[in-house]
Amino acid sequence: NPAGIDFYDRLVDELLANGIEPMVTLYHWDLPAALDELGGWLNPDVARWFADYAAVMFRKLDGRVKLWTTLNEPWVSTDAGYLHGVHAPGHRSVFETPVASHHLLRAHAEAVRTYRAEGHHRIGLVVNLEPKYPASDDAADRAAAVRADAYMNRQYLDPVFLGRYPEELAEVFGEAWPRWPADDLGLIKEPIDFVGV
C-alpha cells in the first residue's frame, strides 16, 4: 500500500528531525486480512510474501533506519492467535499452532536474507521471555518447567541460534508436532545482529 509506506516515510523523517533514532518492526501481530484469507501464517508461501514486503520497506527506509526487527513476539502471535484464539486470526487449534510458529520463523529468516542483500545496518528479532521454575524439586515438576521453557522461550530462540527446535516441543504438541524439513531449519538459522527482549 503506497499510502501506508508514505506514512512511514514521513514518520521516520519526523522522528529523525526530533533526534529520535527509529527502529522499525516489520510485524507486530498485524497480518493483512487479504493474506489471512489466503491462509495467513499457515500458508507456506507466507515467508516469500513477508520477504517481498520487507524488501519494499528496506528500499524505502533503510538509508534512515538503522535498526530493524522482523517479528515482535512471535510466541504471542501463535499462542494467542492460533492456540487460544484471543488474537487474530482467532483460531483454536493445537495442530495449527506449530505450523504458524514455523512459518513465522521461516518468514523472519527470509526477511533477514533479504536485508543482507539490500540493507546496510542491523536486523534482529524480538521475543518475549518468561522465567520458568519448577513448583517443587519433584522430577515431574522439573520436567514440566523444562517443557514450559521450551514452549515459551526456546521455541523461537533454539531454531534461530541452534538450527533446531527444543526436543520438548514434540511432547508439548504431541501428535500435532510435525517433522520439519532440514532445509527449513538451516534457513531459519540465518544470522541476526541482535535479539530484543
Side-chain angles (χ1 to χ4, degrees):
N1 178 334
I5 293 171
D6 289 342
F7 167 79
Y8 289 110
D9 195 38
R10 291 189 307 275
L11 180 60
V12 165
D13 284 343
E14 188 172 328
L15 290 169
L16 290 169
N18 285 284
I20 300 169
E21 183 74 26
M23 179 178 199
V24 172
T25 298
L26 295 171
Y27 178 73
H28 190 150
W29 317 339
D30 53 356
L31 192 67
L35 296 182
D36 190 59
E37 290 169 7
L38 296 174
W41 293 113
L42 301 176
N43 187 326
D45 294 336
V46 73
R48 185 75 252 145
W49 303 337
F50 190 74
D52 291 345
Y53 153 68
V56 170
M57 296 299 287
F58 298 151
R59 287 183 202 125
K60 185 73 171 174
L61 301 175
D62 191 55
R64 293 165 292 150
V65 173
K66 296 179 180 153
L67 291 170
W68 291 88
T69 298
T70 57
L71 308 173
N72 179 72
E73 300 174 338
W75 179 86
V76 174
S77 297
T78 59
D79 184 78
Y82 288 88
L83 185 62
H84 294 105
V86 296
H87 285 190
H91 296 196
R92 291 182 178 191
S93 171
V94 70
F95 288 91
E96 290 181 355
T97 302
V99 173
S101 175
H102 186 70
H103 290 168
L104 276 157
L105 284 172
R106 288 179 56 250
H108 152 78
E110 289 287 359
V112 171
R113 289 177 104 185
T114 300
Y115 191 73
R116 297 289 179 231
E118 305 207 16
H120 302 95
H121 302 290
R122 296 170 54 204
I123 190 163
L125 173 70
V126 173
V127 294
N128 51 309
L129 301 176
E130 189 175 283
K132 300 295 180 185
Y133 304 104
S136 74
D137 199 33
D138 183 75
D141 286 344
R142 287 195 316 273
V146 171
R147 285 191 306 274
D149 180 61
Y151 177 67
M152 177 74 196
N153 301 319
R154 293 182 290 122
Q155 180 175 187
Y156 294 94
L157 295 175
D158 285 11
V160 168
F161 292 108
L162 304 176
R164 65 178 185 264
Y165 284 103
E167 294 175 9
E168 297 84 5
L169 290 181
E171 188 177 347
V172 169
F173 287 106
E175 65 177 329
W177 185 247
R179 295 197 183 275
W180 302 114
D183 290 350
D184 280 8
L185 294 171
L187 167 72
I188 290 169
K189 197 179 170 191
E190 186 71 28
I192 59 176
D193 300 309
F194 64 89
V195 173
V197 177

